[in-house]
Amino acid sequence: MADLLDVGFIQAVFGDGEAPEGASPVLQILSVKKINSASSASSGVVDRYRAILSDGEYFGQAMLAVNLNPLIDSKEIDKFSIIKLRSYTTNAVQGRRLLILLEFDILESVYNEKIGEAVNIEHAVANGTVSRAPAGNANAAPKAEPKGRAGGAGPGPARGGARQGGGKDVGPLFPIESLSPYQNKWTIKARVSAKSEIKHWSNQRGDGKLFNVTFMDESGEIRATGFNEQCDNFYDLLEEGKVYFVSRARINIAKKQFNNVNNEYEIAFERETAIEPCDDASVPQIKYNFKRVDELADLNKDDMCDIIGVVREVHDLSSVTSKATQKPFAKRDIQIVDQSGQAVRLTLWGKQAESFAHDDSPVIAFKGVKVGDFGGRSLSMFSSATMSVNPDINEAHALRGWYDSAGRNTQFNAYTSTMAGRSDNSAPRLNELKTIGEAKDENLGMRDKTDYFTTAAVVAFIKSENFSYPACANPDGCNKKVIEDGNGTYVCDKCDKHWPEPIHRYILSMNCMDHTSSFWITAFNEVAEKLLGISANDLWKLKEGGDEQQFQSYFTKAAGRSYTFEMMAKQDSYNEQVRVRYTCRKAGIPDFVAESAYLSQQIALFNI
């Protein structure tokens, strides 16, 4: 039965080091094993699988590309399955040769027996039965089926073999989506779609600098970073919009806390890295997925989006001080508009803010800007985002024609805090809500930075003790706590002023609950005044006047009511115990009609 398989392929790859050009062998999988450790799996590392492949005469080890993992998880391939390779490469890992499977067809998903009496190719090489390939062949060029794909399981390296660069053969080309840490020799031909500024850092281990770029080709995109010496070597060479050959760099697992590019891997430039310019218009230009300005209301806070618009206003350069470093950052706000009749504020930072001088109403395409909810909806352009002024694309030409003919004299609607589902009297978008149990299970607030979320809950109990504090009466809004100086006046250390009496402000402690859990939250003056329906100063006077029944009635009436709370969760320490402090930023009355409609839609998805 060994004639079902292509005998000789394993020997050609593992022994001779090279398979026939265009080979698409039929092989049998003798076993499949996950190679990740439990610790790596728990840290979010993608599962990797190793397989034993047999051609009926010899068997050898292979690694599956991660895009093939679903075939293993769904049991489409298993022990004794028969496959036909479409695309593959070889690599040397810890001195052992591995076959890297990139694409194949499944001929027999379920086969009940082992075909032939295959022996271990490594033992045959060690015994001298089969000669070992030279070490220089450890990374053979990727093999691919020259015909069209007949239903394989994923993308493979680029067809066409080697390419010429600078008058020399520089090896086979790989598409970006096929790169992985298990390949040592690869070359990509890609366009720089984004390039950051050089960033400097200083810590206990010394000083340093880095920059990053985003490469893209027709298969996908990947981020690359250069540190120190590589920053000096490549920063000026790499230019946005131009095409380059890149090779001899390291592939790592992407650190998603710093990388929002849609790829599970990232590139690190090294001393041996080679980057060569390439004059090739076939590599695609930047791909945009534009949202209209009026569609920003449908996006969530912190979403990333692409947007194109006309710059209608350019504000003066200003600065803000970083809370982390206490260093000033330059910022500039601009207003962009489009045919929807809506306007939105977009903030530029750093050198982009300093160098922006376009006051002639240009059309600008932005890629990867961050959505915020300040003032209803706003946008921020951080280092990972890019902008193209007056780009030569259809959307830009249409905007230019519209603005010059009619848009210049249009009255635009600006986003406000009462828009985008964020009014003070209505609930936020229902698909954003978290239950209290979900907020706790996700450990919101237990990280270094503050977490924000929205929940719908019932006020179960409000503490009437210590519901307020005496605040500075400065009309400019100091709001700092004051202390009595013993002479019948109150002193503010911040303002260095004395007041005959303070203005009381809320610091309300409430227990709120839903069907999953409960938690204690703190509501400050504006929110608490809305919940109780009386100012803290007036409520304090009721207490001081001895009208205990009237005083308690405000707390009683506020309990048992439902609200949507916009919350802030931050780690705190109390009596050497780490806990989460929940603070209410805003409270709104639920829209029960909208909530009922949303629940009906969710029920309809079950097709009951």
Side-chain angles (χ1 to χ4, degrees):
M1 297 181 65
D3 56 357
L4 292 175
L5 308 178
D6 287 326
V7 175
F9 175 79
I10 298 295
Q11 178 179 345
V13 172
F14 289 83
D16 302 331
E18 189 64 48
E21 186 67 31
S24 296
V26 176
L27 304 170
Q28 185 177 37
I29 298 175
L30 299 186
S31 68
V32 180
K33 181 180 179 181
K34 184 186 295 187
I35 61 175
N36 292 67
S37 66
S39 59
S40 62
S42 63
S43 62
V45 176
V46 178
D47 289 338
R48 299 295 306 212
Y49 290 93
R50 183 170 293 183
I52 302 297
L53 293 183
S54 166
D55 64 3
E57 180 182 21
Y58 294 105
F59 64 80
Q61 297 201 45
M63 189 83 70
L64 277 71
V66 294
N67 58 296
L68 304 179
N69 286 0
L71 298 178
I72 300 173
D73 298 335
S74 63
K75 295 294 185 180
E76 291 183 63
I77 58 171
D78 206 343
K79 185 176 181 179
F80 299 149
S81 294
I82 299 175
I83 62 174
K84 182 177 183 179
L85 292 191
R86 292 294 189 185
S87 180
Y88 59 91
T89 186
T90 59
N91 202 353
V93 177
Q94 297 179 346
R96 304 176 67 182
R97 188 179 303 282
L98 282 178
L99 187 66
I100 311 297
L101 307 188
L102 302 171
E103 181 182 353
F104 55 75
D105 295 334
I106 302 172
L107 303 184
E108 293 285 347
S109 179
V110 179
Y111 201 84
N112 295 324
E113 59 181 349
K114 175 182 175 182
I115 298 175
E117 298 295 333
V119 297
N120 192 331
I121 186 66
E122 293 184 358
H123 293 169
V125 170
N127 296 334
T129 308
V130 176
S131 61
R132 181 182 296 276
N137 289 341
N139 289 277
K143 311 299 184 300
E145 174 70 12
K147 300 179 182 179
R149 181 180 173 184
R159 277 57 169 164
R163 49 86 174 165
Q164 297 292 322
K168 60 183 180 180
D169 183 359
V170 287
L173 290 176
F174 282 66
I176 284 175
E177 69 175 352
S178 72
L179 297 181
S180 79
Y182 298 93
Q183 295 160 314
N184 291 334
K185 290 186 178 180
W186 51 265
T187 301
I188 59 172
K189 180 173 66 176
R191 188 181 300 277
V192 175
S193 62
K195 176 183 172 182
S196 74
E197 300 174 1
I198 294 178
K199 302 175 184 177
H200 298 265
W201 80 85
S202 178
N203 56 33
Q204 294 178 344
R205 292 181 293 179
D207 301 332
K209 56 186 175 180
L210 66 87
F211 82 104
N212 55 69
V213 294
T214 301
F215 291 112
M216 62 169 293
D217 65 10
E218 61 277 359
S219 72
E221 58 183 357
I222 192 168
R223 190 176 188 179
T225 303
F227 293 87
N228 300 324
E229 182 181 349
Q230 285 66 47
C231 184
D232 296 332
N233 293 340
F234 300 129
Y235 187 80
D236 293 332
L237 172 64
L238 294 168
E239 299 180 30
E240 282 189 30
K242 293 191 176 181
V243 179
Y244 299 86
F245 292 120
V246 182
S247 60
R248 299 204 296 274
R250 188 172 72 251
I251 307 294
N252 297 324
I253 300 293
K255 298 177 181 177
K256 286 303 181 181
Q257 66 268 40
F258 308 115
N259 184 348
N260 60 6
V261 174
N262 185 26
N263 197 315
E264 62 182 307
Y265 301 121
E266 60 188 12
I267 294 174
F269 296 144
E270 298 186 299
R271 182 174 300 176
E272 297 79 15
T273 297
I275 301 178
E276 303 173 22
C278 172
D279 186 13
D280 190 343
S282 66
V283 178
Q285 300 288 336
I286 298 176
K287 300 175 184 177
Y288 293 100
N289 182 22
F290 289 123
K291 295 290 184 181
R292 296 189 317 179
V293 176
D294 64 341
E295 293 177 331
L296 296 176
D298 299 325
L299 301 180
N300 296 325
K301 180 180 180 294
D302 296 332
D303 279 353
M304 311 299 287
C305 73
D306 304 341
I307 197 163
I308 186 170
V310 178
V311 178
R312 188 165 178 263
E313 296 178 3
V314 179
H315 294 208
D316 293 336
L317 185 68
S318 61
S319 67
V320 296
T321 301
S322 168
K323 293 182 179 179
T325 64
Q326 297 302 310
K327 294 181 179 179
F329 274 92
K331 63 168 289 195
R332 186 192 299 273
D333 291 335
I334 63 176
Q335 186 188 68
I336 60 175
V337 298
D338 65 8
Q339 298 99 318
S340 68
Q342 191 74 37
V344 67
R345 189 194 68 179
L346 187 147
T347 302
L348 305 173
W349 300 93
K351 292 183 179 179
Q352 289 176 328
E354 295 172 346
S355 61
F356 190 89
H358 301 285
D359 54 2
D360 54 349
S361 300
V363 176
I364 302 184
F366 296 90
K367 183 174 181 63
V369 291
K370 189 174 184 178
V371 179
D373 61 1
F374 184 80
R377 275 295 178 269
S378 60
L379 299 171
S380 286
M381 184 177 176
F382 294 102
S383 59
S384 59
T386 63
M387 68 176 177
S388 177
V389 180
N390 295 320
D392 186 15
I393 57 177
N394 293 336
E395 293 89 345
H397 300 320
L399 268 172
R400 181 81 275 158
W402 159 79
Y403 191 78
D404 290 343
S405 62
R408 195 178 299 273
N409 299 317
T410 299
Q411 295 293 321
F412 293 93
N413 298 316
Y415 279 105
T416 67
S417 58
T418 60
M419 299 179 65
R422 295 294 188 186
S423 71
D424 287 341
N425 297 316
S426 63
R429 286 183 297 278
L430 296 169
N431 61 354
E432 295 181 359
L433 293 177
K434 291 184 181 294
T435 65
I436 298 174
E438 287 174 334
K440 291 182 176 181
D441 291 342
E442 294 174 16
N443 291 320
L444 297 184
M446 293 301 291
R447 293 178 280 245
D448 291 336
K449 64 178 184 178
T450 303
D451 287 316
Y452 298 89
F453 67 97
T454 305
T455 189
V458 176
V459 177
F461 177 75
I462 304 175
K463 288 184 178 180
S464 58
E465 303 84 7
N466 302 321
F467 68 92
S468 69
Y469 69 94
C472 177
N474 193 325
D476 293 335
C478 170
N479 298 333
K480 290 295 183 180
K481 185 176 181 179
V482 295
I483 57 175
E484 192 172 3
D485 62 1
N487 297 320
T489 60
Y490 294 81
V491 61
C492 175
D493 291 336
K494 180 181 179 182
C495 300
D496 195 23
K497 290 184 178 181
H498 293 258
W499 306 98
E501 62 180 19
I503 301 294
H504 278 264
R505 294 178 62 82
Y506 282 114
I507 181 169
L508 209 59
S509 181
M510 307 184 297
N511 185 266
C512 299
M513 61 188 301
D514 64 10
H515 64 286
T516 63
S517 187
S518 66
F519 60 178
W520 285 93
I521 70 175
T522 301
F524 290 101
N525 202 63
E526 288 75 14
V527 175
E529 191 169 306
K530 182 176 181 179
L531 297 178
L532 294 181
I534 186 174
S535 70
N537 218 43
D538 291 341
L539 193 59
W540 175 261
K541 291 177 181 178
L542 281 178
K543 182 179 181 180
E544 289 296 289
D547 194 345
E548 184 67 19
Q549 183 175 359
Q550 181 71 7
F551 169 74
Q552 290 292 343
S553 68
Y554 284 96
F555 295 94
T556 304
K557 286 188 296 183
R561 294 185 178 182
S562 297
Y563 295 94
T564 54
F565 296 104
E566 294 189 22
M567 301 298 302
M568 180 171 67
K570 185 174 178 61
Q571 188 179 112
D572 191 17
S573 179
Y574 181 74
N575 288 338
E576 299 183 355
Q577 294 287 329
V578 176
R579 63 177 187 177
V580 177
R581 184 174 72 247
Y582 298 100
T583 303
C584 179
R585 302 165 57 225
K586 186 184 295 185
I589 299 172
D591 186 342
F592 294 110
V593 174
E595 186 169 346
S596 297
Y598 175 76
L599 292 174
S600 296
Q601 293 174 356
Q602 297 301 302
I603 293 172
L605 296 177
F606 291 98
N607 295 320
I608 297 176

